[in-house]
Amino acid sequence: MTSEDRKTARAERRRAARTANEKQRIEPYNDFSLVADADNLARAFAKSKRGVSWKESVQRYEANALRNIAQTRRKLLSGESVQSGFVEFDLKERGKTRHIRSVHISERVVQKCLCDKVLAPLLSRPLIHDNGASIAGKGVHFALRRLVAHLSRFYRSNGRSNEGHALLVDFSIFFDNIRHDALFAMQERYLTEPRLRALTRGFISAFGDDKSLGLGSQVSQICAIFYPNALDHCIKEKLRVKYYGRYMDDLCLIHADKAFLEKCLAEIKTVCARFDIVVNEKKTRIVRLSSGVPFLKGKYALLPSGKILRRPGKESAKRMRRKLKAFKKLADAGKMDCADVYASYQSWRGGYAQRFNAHFAVKRMDALYDGLFINTHPQ
């Protein structure tokens, strides 16, 4: 046996061992009984009703919870459809209109159970650590902490210099461009149980025959963070970008060389084209670290001293000022309680002061709040 033959045989043994280990790790979650279990469905309903228990549909479901859960379990075991259509409406947020297709509570319970017990453990396994959306233990604050950590580590590895750049990439209408065939092909490696695969595909196909995932579905959320996984690994493993993070459709790559980031952008567009992901040219740009990295409604500037200045986005304060003035009119008309105004303002104030270096901005907003409500509506 030649040295090349030994290398080939060794590579095949390692590949077989990796495949066997992966199969052993995913096998416990490829169990349909996890979704059809009555106790798991009951726990899923308890989680699904949080924050929406005031809704009439949720109260009707809860009034006959045991019967509804038993009926759902029977449908799952018999292979019947558990889908019940959508509640569709348009939501206008910050000047952007989004079409929401919300699932009914009976279907939401099954989706919650499917995601928590099967999809999240399976589809989060291949994700990179710095993919920060819709995963237990992660979220916006996790993504921002990782950005701050990346900036600090870049500063130390770059000779304690803040001379560097960040490539910011954004996707256009990301959910609407997700191809079902590509998504199903990616899931086949991890989702091997036929009934689980059929159930998941049914929830996804309900949003369209060929592409699109709807907002308002937990299955859509976990699938959306999983869909560009090949792009994440390309950036980390092929391009070797050490300081990289993604939050849903927002990407941030940090490097000292601007020309290298331009090459990275070309490669990112090539990979995105394979999956029909559209790069938003208006929001995609390269910025200097010293000028600030706009990411998730904030701006994070790396100073020459190594300190990271966390500045808030201008739009957040503008929206809060408009809100307070609108709340003032409602309070004067007796349509809004001052306690609700106070709770709303403190929610904004606490998050604003905690996340950003915004002492004077908070003081100015406090003065506006006091002038509108403390003097005219004393507590």
Side-chain angles (χ1 to χ4, degrees), residues 148-363:
V148 171
H150 288 166
L151 290 171
S152 298
R153 292 171 185 173
F154 171 82
Y155 177 79
R156 293 194 296 270
S157 65
N158 197 40
R160 295 191 173 274
S161 169
N162 67 337
E163 292 299 321
H165 297 81
L167 169 61
L168 304 170
V169 182
D170 185 83
F171 300 148
S172 295
I173 48 177
F174 175 52
F175 276 67
D176 290 341
N177 287 325
I178 294 179
R179 281 173 34 208
H180 293 175
D181 59 341
L183 179 59
F184 295 155
M186 296 176 196
Q187 291 177 345
E188 284 181 358
R189 178 178 175 182
Y190 307 98
L191 197 61
T192 59
E193 210 281 333
R195 289 180 294 178
L196 287 174
R197 189 181 292 176
L199 182 63
T200 303
R201 290 186 175 187
F203 288 138
I204 294 172
S205 299
F207 293 105
D209 296 331
D210 300 321
K211 60 168 56 178
S212 177
L213 291 179
L215 301 174
S217 165
Q218 188 175 355
V219 171
S220 296
Q221 293 292 323
I222 188 67
C223 289
I225 66 169
F226 173 74
Y227 188 69
N229 186 50
L231 175 62
D232 294 337
H233 284 276
C234 173
I235 294 172
K236 282 286 191 180
E237 297 164 13
K238 181 180 178 181
L239 299 175
R240 299 288 183 180
V241 179
K242 187 175 182 180
Y243 307 114
Y244 163 70
R246 176 168 70 88
Y247 188 89
M248 197 59 78
D249 60 345
D250 292 314
L251 287 65
C252 180
L253 296 75
I254 297 173
H255 199 271
D257 188 358
K258 183 178 180 180
F260 174 76
L261 290 178
E262 292 173 347
K263 293 180 181 179
C264 290
L265 178 58
E267 182 67 25
I268 288 171
K269 290 181 178 180
T270 300
V271 176
C272 287
R274 294 209 307 263
F275 300 101
D276 287 354
I277 299 175
V278 180
V279 174
N280 189 331
E281 298 291 348
K282 291 183 178 179
K283 295 184 179 180
T284 298
R285 60 195 184 278
I286 297 176
V287 299
R288 296 181 64 86
L289 299 182
S290 57
S291 300
V293 180
F295 193 67
L296 298 180
K297 313 305 178 187
K299 200 169 187 179
Y300 300 80
L302 181 59
L303 303 182
S305 62
K307 180 181 177 181
I308 298 167
L309 181 62
R310 299 175 295 172
R311 292 176 289 182
K314 296 180 180 179
E315 291 300 318
S316 178
K318 288 181 181 178
R319 286 195 300 273
M320 195 65 235
R321 281 194 290 270
R322 287 196 293 265
K323 274 187 178 181
L324 289 177
K325 293 173 182 178
F327 290 165
K328 165 68 172 173
K329 294 179 181 179
L330 293 174
D332 290 343
K335 296 181 180 180
M336 189 172 188
D337 192 88
C338 288
D340 294 333
V341 176
Y342 179 78
S344 177
Y345 177 62
Q346 288 301 317
S347 175
W348 174 89
R349 189 183 189 278
Y352 212 72
Q354 183 179 8
R355 287 173 56 186
F356 303 115
N357 306 117
H359 173 75
F360 293 105
V362 172
K363 283 189 67 175

Side-chain angles (χ1 to χ4, degrees), residues 106-136:
S106 59
E107 183 179 342
R108 197 181 313 139
V109 169
V110 182
Q111 289 201 21
K112 169 67 73 174
C113 191
L114 175 66
C115 289
D116 290 354
K117 298 298 181 181
V118 177
L119 293 184
L122 288 178
L123 300 186
S124 64
R125 185 172 298 277
L127 301 180
I128 64 172
H129 178 66
D130 290 312
N131 186 340
S134 299
I135 297 294

Side-chain angles (χ1 to χ4, degrees), residues 81-100:
S81 175
V82 294
Q83 298 175 24
S84 51
F86 301 107
V87 177
E88 302 192 33
F89 57 92
D90 291 327
L91 180 66
K92 191 169 185 179
E93 183 184 20
R94 295 192 289 272
K96 182 184 294 184
T97 301
R98 303 179 187 272
H99 185 69
I100 308 297

